[in-house]
Amino acid sequence: MCYTVIMNNFDFKNPTQIIFGKDSEKRTGVLAAEYGAKKVLLHYGGGSIKKTGLYDRVTASLKAAGLEVFELAGVKPNPRLSLVREGVSLCREHSIDLILAVGGGSVIDSAKAIGIGAVYEGDVWDFYTGKAEPQGSLKVATILTIPAAGSESSNGSVITNEDGGLKRPCGSDFIYPVFSICNPELAFTLPVSQIANGTADIFAHMHERYFTNVKQVDLTDRLIEAGMRNIIHHAPRLLDNPEDYDTWAEVMWTGTIAHNNLLDTGRVGDWGSHDIEHELSGMFDIAHGAGLAIIIPAWMKYVYKHDVELFAQFAERVFFVERDYVNPWKTALEGIYRLEQHFKRMGMAIRLSEVGITDDSFDEMAEKATAGDSAALGNFVKLDKTAIIKIFKLAE
Ligand code: NZQ
Ligand code: ZN
């Protein structure tokens, strides 16, 4: 294959202030006030923050800074549009000026959707169907409790519309949080399944950027390889030592860097696996990371022949596979196999059948993913409906 695409021109700006480390949530109130907040909407999920005591610490910090606090709880994994609409109404009714998301990607994405929805006259779902683009947002800040989605410093939000089971992303520079508090100690209470899902998603954000048709991007190749190695090395350690601060610090910071767009610079990411996975989450409500651990190896098996050399490089540098120079495809396939073994070691399913998804739904998911076979997914290799069904079959 002959490549002519060299490092792309780029603008890079990530405006989110990251406050990283032990006890950093104690600074919440002061930071929110510094960002001009007077009325804060505290947004959170199903109650983990109450069990861990974080809720008490955060509300105390906000009140000590003289801020008026309103609340909206109940964000579910794969955050729902109906709660976003409720949040939009609350923000308008009380003239909220900062939304504080305390939780994981679902809570943060819900807060981001409320932020862009509250300053828009139409329906916030318009931003997720492409009917409109955000023109502004209320300020959003986050306290991260699960290293995974990278939403704490990303310009994206992913929302599920219960009506039709559609999970769709929206990207806009108005969506970056103003600040994010990242204390690795807050992850100590995560169950093993969420450790696995979260670290799979972090890996996936680097995978999506790594497989590109752009050449002469050695620096970002190697930064991504380092991040992938860091996850492969540290994630399994958390299974036996879920309260190991140093390991969580490695994983949490890798999770932020994996998705703050630094690793995109000069290259064009793929994102086909993410788009395919959104159909699994949208239709079957499975966790995003769990879906990715199934889809990514299948996607790799489908596309590796497009650039065997890049897959062999991935195998050699990320999984230390000895390079077979005569048969580089063997090296490539060994790398894919070792990635599957990593996910299995994390206790994850790597086949659709293991999570109860059968070929009855392949056609419908592929149809939805491609809007009736009218829009191809991915950039590394363009995937039409037929290709996506083949990937589902490889993941069966
Ligand atoms: O709701 P609570 O009770 O808080 O429980 C949550 C939830 O059940 C629990 N949890 C979180 N922190 C915890 C904890 N349990 C114990 N101790 C803690 N410290 O974990 C469960 C999962 O939370 P969730 O927020 O859904 O996880 P995650 O961070 O993986 O977020 C997934 C969502 O992010 C989206 C995904 O599509 C998915 O909807 N993504 C967002 C992106 C973005 N905005 O840039 C990019 C990603 O690719 C991803 O698509
Ligand atoms: Zn993801």
Side-chain angles (χ1 to χ4, degrees):
M1 175 138 293
C2 174
Y3 293 97
T4 51
V5 186
I6 55 161
M7 191 195 283
N8 290 188
N9 292 359
F10 62 88
D11 286 11
F12 175 65
K13 179 182 179 187
N14 186 305
T16 305
Q17 183 183 357
I18 302 291
I19 296 98
F20 192 94
K22 288 185 182 179
D23 293 329
S24 45
E25 68 276 12
K26 288 184 181 160
R27 293 168 58 190
T28 309
V30 169
L31 282 160
E34 278 174 11
Y35 277 95
K38 292 194 168 50
K39 292 183 176 189
V40 174
L41 179 68
L42 178 60
H43 196 36
Y44 56 97
S48 72
I49 68 162
K50 287 205 167 160
K51 280 192 213 131
T52 59
L54 179 61
Y55 172 90
D56 293 332
R57 297 202 296 283
V58 171
T59 46
S61 171
L62 292 170
K63 286 178 181 164
L67 305 176
E68 196 176 346
V69 181
F70 299 80
E71 281 190 29
L72 181 61
V75 180
K76 294 194 172 118
N78 299 322
R80 309 299 201 269
L81 179 62
S82 52
L83 193 75
V84 169
R85 288 186 175 136
E86 217 181 293
V88 167
S89 304
L90 259 177
C91 285
R92 289 184 183 152
E93 187 186 335
H94 298 291
S95 305
I96 298 292
D97 42 33
L98 184 140
I99 306 163
L100 178 65
V102 186
S106 296
V107 175
I108 298 171
D109 285 2
S110 183
K112 289 171 165 179
I114 295 170
I116 51 176
V119 299
Y120 173 59
E121 285 187 359
D123 179 19
V124 61
W125 187 244
D126 292 349
F127 299 134
Y128 294 81
T129 57
K131 189 176 162 196
E133 285 190 7
Q135 299 299 324
S137 176
L138 295 181
K139 291 188 182 101
V140 172
T142 88
I143 300 179
L144 183 66
T145 63
I146 165 171
S151 188
E152 67 276 11
S153 75
S154 83
N155 60 349
S157 158
V158 192
I159 295 295
T160 297
N161 186 341
E162 305 91 314
D163 183 9
L166 288 178
K167 183 170 181 180
R168 293 289 176 266
C170 165
S172 161
D173 286 354
F174 292 110
I175 287 180
Y176 283 111
V178 287
F179 69 84
S180 283
I181 289 177
C182 303
N183 175 359
E185 291 171 311
L186 301 181
F188 287 1
T189 50
L190 281 167
V192 163
S193 60
Q194 295 298 353
I195 296 173
N197 294 341
T199 54
D201 194 18
I202 294 171
F203 184 90
H205 294 156
M206 296 185 280
H207 144 91
E208 297 284 16
R209 291 168 164 100
Y210 191 74
F211 292 101
T212 183
N213 292 321
V214 179
K215 295 288 150 184
Q216 297 304 314
V217 279
D218 282 357
L219 175 66
T220 42
D221 272 2
R222 290 176 193 277
L223 288 172
I224 295 171
E225 288 155 1
M228 286 175 162
R229 271 279 354 121
N230 219 29
I231 291 301
I232 300 295
H233 177 75
H234 286 288
R237 295 173 175 226
L238 292 171
L239 300 179
D240 294 329
N241 300 296
E243 299 195 6
D244 180 339
Y245 180 89
D246 295 331
T247 305
W248 271 122
E250 293 290 345
V251 168
M252 191 173 258
W253 188 221
T254 307
T256 302
I257 298 287
H259 202 45
N260 74 351
N261 289 338
L262 171 70
L263 303 181
D264 283 311
T265 47
R267 50 203 298 145
V268 178
D270 182 66
W271 300 101
S273 303
H274 263 70
D275 287 340
I276 296 172
E277 193 293 312
H278 288 163
E279 300 312 321
L280 267 57
S281 294
M283 274 180 68
F284 298 97
D285 201 22
I286 73 168
H288 174 61
L292 288 166
I294 296 169
I295 295 299
I296 288 176
W299 175 89
M300 288 179 156
K301 287 173 199 166
Y302 185 74
V303 305
Y304 78 94
K305 287 183 185 149
H306 175 69
D307 190 347
V308 173
E309 173 54 32
L310 184 57
F311 272 89
Q313 176 181 293
F314 164 78
E316 185 178 40
R317 294 188 188 167
V318 178
F319 284 103
F320 304 134
V321 178
E322 197 176 331
R323 175 92 70 138
D324 183 334
Y325 288 97
V326 181
N327 300 300
W329 58 272
K330 284 191 180 168
T331 313
L333 286 178
E334 179 63 21
I336 300 169
Y337 172 75
R338 291 198 193 179
L339 177 61
E340 282 187 329
Q341 296 312 302
H342 165 76
F343 289 141
K344 276 176 90 166
R345 189 170 163 211
M346 295 300 294
M348 306 187 83
I350 56 166
R351 295 286 181 268
L352 290 168
S353 51
E354 292 177 72
V355 294
I357 299 178
T358 62
D359 63 358
D360 297 352
S361 30
F362 292 177
D363 190 82
E364 187 182 349
M365 288 194 291
E367 175 83 6
K368 280 182 166 176
T370 54
D373 211 11
S374 66
L377 304 185
N379 292 307
F380 183 63
V381 173
K382 290 281 178 201
L383 305 172
D384 61 10
K385 183 179 165 186
T386 308
I388 293 167
I389 292 174
K390 285 184 182 159
I391 290 172
F392 286 142
K393 290 218 170 285
L394 286 166
E396 205 166 357

